[in-house]
Amino acid sequence: MTAFSLEPGQRAWCAELRTLAAERLRPLADKGEPGHVNRPLVTELGHLGLLARLFTSGALDLCLMRESLAYACTEAETALALQGLGAHPVHAHGTAQQRERWLPLVSDGSAVAAFALSEPGAGSDAAALSLTAHPDGPGRWRLTGEKCWISNAPEADLYTVFARTTPGAGARGVTAFLVPADRPGLTGTGLDMLSPHPIGALDLDAVPVTAADVLGEVDGGFRVAMGTLNLFRPSVGAFAVGMAQAALDATLEHTARREAFGGRLSDLQAVSHEVAEMALRTEAARLMVHAAATAYDDGAPDVPKRAAMAKLLATETAQYVVDRAVQLHGARALQRGHLLEHLYREVRAPRIYEGASEVQRGIIAKELYKDLEADR
């Protein structure tokens, strides 16, 4: 059953999260170094019990967490989300030994996780992975190749690495491996990106892995990747909605008090209509995110389509809202340290990672035509 409004308890929890983000997480985020893992921030997320909830919450609760944290502290939101993205394959597909070793460490913030899917030649086209798992005896492989644009790399403690185990098999020849950062042959470098969170490249030079490191089944890694993305795509939309709401609220406050042209900016119809459009799009995106997350929790058959729609609409909406907020604030919003200057840098990447907007449109179209064929 699609939820169009939140229960009072959910609304209260969101308010509590916004307060925690502003009062306890924002100060730690401000002390962090852009482009590097902020371990004190990750540890505090663990102390607050938020990381553990990644593995006990449904998709809707994940969306509420991400939107609420993003509103007050995007760095905390991203740190939480990356722990979930990197470790969800372990939670969902790992062996008892893998889960027992790593999930408590990820949950208390003492181990940092990363999701290593993208490559220099295989970003949006995940089925084109070239990092190869070369056989090295029964139940043993050597991973050789590169990963690129990996969040939390090269500072993570564990990586979910997707490698090709069967050449020429496309999506059906990929396997997911749990690779600790201290494995011989695994090195990495940080990348200087627009987004302030840590992103890096990994080089794997005959990194040894065994059957005990496989997540799921051999040659079943694409299902591991897509299952993870179907869960997290709506919550990427929630991250975007949180940023859009923060930009909208800042714009309401600014235009209501800013004196210009003999009155307040909010008295100008062009301005008030712009703000109304920002609010309209933000709320529409929020509803679609909640609908997609609820569909996931209900086990609906159209989750891939709904997840793609939610991520696409919300991330494109956030880009629009933040951009318009900057325009209505004027030059002050471009000053380093201003909320909107920060959001303007943060808002761009979600339209690319975990499936670019163009990929989402492709998924939506594919699902629509599949439904058409099924009805015939």
Side-chain angles (χ1 to χ4, degrees):
M1 187 72 174
T2 301
F4 290 98
S5 62
L6 300 179
E7 299 292 335
Q10 292 173 312
R11 291 195 293 271
W13 184 49
C14 290
E16 179 185 351
L17 287 174
R18 289 193 294 270
T19 299
L20 286 173
E23 295 180 356
R24 294 183 60 172
L25 300 174
R26 177 80 267 161
L28 292 171
D30 289 340
K31 295 178 182 178
E33 184 179 353
H36 292 276
V37 173
N38 186 331
R39 288 188 180 265
L41 178 62
V42 175
T43 300
E44 184 65 11
L45 287 166
H47 288 165
L48 293 173
L50 298 179
L51 296 179
R53 291 193 70 146
L54 289 167
F55 310 115
T56 59
S57 298
L60 181 58
D61 277 357
L62 176 59
C63 287
L64 298 182
M65 277 198 291
R66 294 190 67 174
E67 179 183 343
S68 301
L69 293 178
Y71 181 83
C73 183
T74 59
E75 296 92 337
E77 184 285 332
T78 302
L80 175 119
L82 295 180
Q83 287 288 84
L85 185 67
H88 176 76
V90 183
H91 167 69
H93 301 279
T95 63
Q97 291 81 4
Q98 290 169 335
R99 293 195 299 270
E100 288 168 5
R101 178 184 177 188
W102 289 108
L103 293 185
L105 299 177
V106 172
S107 296
D108 68 17
S110 59
V112 172
F115 186 79
L117 178 63
S118 295
E119 298 178 5
S124 296
D125 185 7
L129 296 181
S130 62
L131 186 143
T132 303
H134 297 283
D136 190 37
R140 306 182 70 86
W141 299 265
R142 294 275 181 169
L143 304 182
T144 299
E146 297 176 81
K147 293 292 181 180
C148 199
W149 307 297
I150 306 304
S151 295
N152 279 347
E155 299 176 29
D157 301 300
L158 69 149
Y159 297 90
T160 295
V161 177
F162 297 87
R164 179 156 303 286
T165 39
T166 301
R172 297 183 180 182
V174 172
T175 300
F177 294 93
L178 195 169
V179 183
D182 60 359
R183 285 286 169 88
L186 176 59
T187 58
T189 55
L191 299 174
D192 189 8
M193 307 288 286
L194 178 67
S195 297
H197 74 271
I199 302 176
L202 298 173
D203 183 70
L204 293 92
D205 182 12
V207 175
V209 291
T210 71
D213 299 312
V214 173
L215 293 168
E217 300 176 353
V218 174
D219 286 345
F222 195 73
R223 185 171 69 87
V224 174
M226 293 304 105
T228 302
L229 294 175
N230 282 337
L231 170 61
F232 277 85
R233 274 174 177 156
S235 70
V236 175
F239 172 37
V241 168
M243 289 190 286
Q245 189 66 54
L248 172 61
D249 287 353
T251 303
L252 281 167
E253 185 71 24
H254 172 71
T255 56
R257 72 171 188 269
R258 177 76 161 90
E259 298 286 339
F261 308 108
R264 293 176 181 171
L265 279 180
S266 58
D267 296 330
L268 300 174
Q269 187 181 71
V271 171
S272 62
H273 283 193
E274 187 78 79
V275 172
E277 182 70 17
M278 293 162 65
L280 173 70
R281 296 194 189 195
T282 299
E283 185 63 15
R286 176 180 288 113
L287 289 172
M288 181 162 278
V289 165
H290 289 180
T294 304
Y296 184 97
D297 288 340
D298 289 346
D302 59 349
V303 165
K305 179 178 70 178
R306 286 182 175 272
M309 285 181 168
K311 180 184 186 293
L312 174 63
L313 179 65
T315 55
E316 295 288 339
T317 292
Q319 181 79 57
Y320 169 84
V321 171
V322 172
D323 182 75
R324 300 319 300 162
V326 169
Q327 194 70 20
L328 291 174
H329 275 75
R332 74 190 66 224
L334 302 177
Q335 187 173 353
R336 185 72 70 181
H338 192 282
L339 169 66
L340 291 174
E341 181 269 337
H342 172 76
L343 291 177
Y344 202 75
R345 287 184 288 114
E346 282 275 27
V347 80
R348 189 60 184 85
R351 292 172 61 207
I352 295 174
Y353 64 58
E354 295 186 41
S357 293
E358 293 74 15
V359 171
Q360 305 312 317
R361 291 186 174 94
I363 293 170
I364 294 165
K366 178 182 177 181
E367 293 297 316
L368 288 171
Y369 285 112
K370 185 171 73 174
D371 292 343
L372 177 64
E373 290 298 320
D375 291 339
R376 285 180 175 174

